[in-house]
């Protein structure tokens, strides 16, 4: 179950109900398309934390609960593609209804991932950069000389 106490059954903890306006613009930091991506990510992460705090959801935002919620949302994304052919899946963003569903589920996955990282003190961009570096060493470009590594390392 992905509900948190004090919310309507159709709402998810990281989503604002569609009928209710967001907090006034002066109450939250703003991100714009010109904001550097790392700063924009931090601002969005802060908004998620503030959203949960304002509703008293911090006690429920444990690493275990957030990991489970992340898994559920990732499964909802997979569900969209479950019975599509590879060709259909490549065109999923062409239809407004399916594009909206995919976009919403991607947002849910990212929201829970950012909340998970916030709770555990993980800098998501640093973690990703380090993982890419390790993968570049583990899986060198064919024809380059680097030590042999096995995919399980």
């Amino acid at each position: 179950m992905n509900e948190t106490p004090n919310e309507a059954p159709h709402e998810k903890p990281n989503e604002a109900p569609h009928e209710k306006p967001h907090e006034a613009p002066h109450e939250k930091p703003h991100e714009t398309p010109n904001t550097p991506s790392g700063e924009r990510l931090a601002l969005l992460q802060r908004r998620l934390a503030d959203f949960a705090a304002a509703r008293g959801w911090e006690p429920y935002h444990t690493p275990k609960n957030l990991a489970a919620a992340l898994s559920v949302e990732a499964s909802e994304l997979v569900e969209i593609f479950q019975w599509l052919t590879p060709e259909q899946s490549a065109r999923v963003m062409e239809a407004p209804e399916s594009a909206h569903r995919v976009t919403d589920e991607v947002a849910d996955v990212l929201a829970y991932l950012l909340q998970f990282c916030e709770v555990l003190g993980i800098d998501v961009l640093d973690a990703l950069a380090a993982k890419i570096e390790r993968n570049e060493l583990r899986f060198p470009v064919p024809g380059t000389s680097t030590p042999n590594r096995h995919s399980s390392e």
Side-chain angles (χ1 to χ4, degrees):
M1 181 184 263
N2 62 357
E3 298 172 15
T4 303
N6 302 323
E7 67 176 347
H10 68 280
E11 297 173 30
K12 295 178 184 173
N14 64 339
E15 296 177 359
H18 298 290
E19 310 79 74
K20 297 178 185 174
H22 286 280
E23 291 84 349
H26 65 278
E27 295 177 6
K28 65 181 179 192
H30 289 282
E31 70 278 348
T32 68
N34 296 329
T35 304
S37 59
E39 183 180 332
R40 189 168 184 218
L41 188 66
L43 289 170
L44 291 169
Q45 197 166 15
R46 180 78 261 139
R47 283 182 64 190
L48 286 167
D50 291 347
F51 183 89
R55 289 150 183 84
W57 292 346
E58 296 103 324
Y60 309 101
H61 283 200
T62 64
K64 178 193 84 64
N65 289 350
L66 291 169
L70 176 58
S71 175
V72 169
E73 294 302 339
S75 295
E76 290 178 11
L77 180 60
V78 170
E79 182 181 32
I80 296 167
F81 295 89
Q82 184 175 8
W83 302 113
L84 300 181
T85 65
E87 295 78 17
Q88 290 170 324
S89 69
R91 295 189 312 270
V92 74
M93 298 305 285
E94 294 173 7
E97 183 180 317
S98 60
H100 177 69
R101 287 181 62 212
V102 169
T103 301
D104 272 358
E105 294 308 332
V106 166
D108 287 341
V109 168
L110 181 58
Y112 278 118
L113 178 62
L114 291 175
Q115 290 173 90
F116 179 81
C117 290
E118 175 81 13
V119 166
L120 291 178
I122 297 169
D123 183 307
V124 69
L125 296 178
D126 286 347
L128 179 58
K131 182 65 173 185
I132 292 170
E133 288 175 24
R134 287 191 307 275
N135 283 343
E136 289 170 340
L137 292 172
R138 286 178 53 199
F139 307 104
V141 175
T144 61
S145 62
T146 57
N148 268 344
R149 300 257 168 145
H150 188 271
S151 63
S152 65
E153 290 180 35

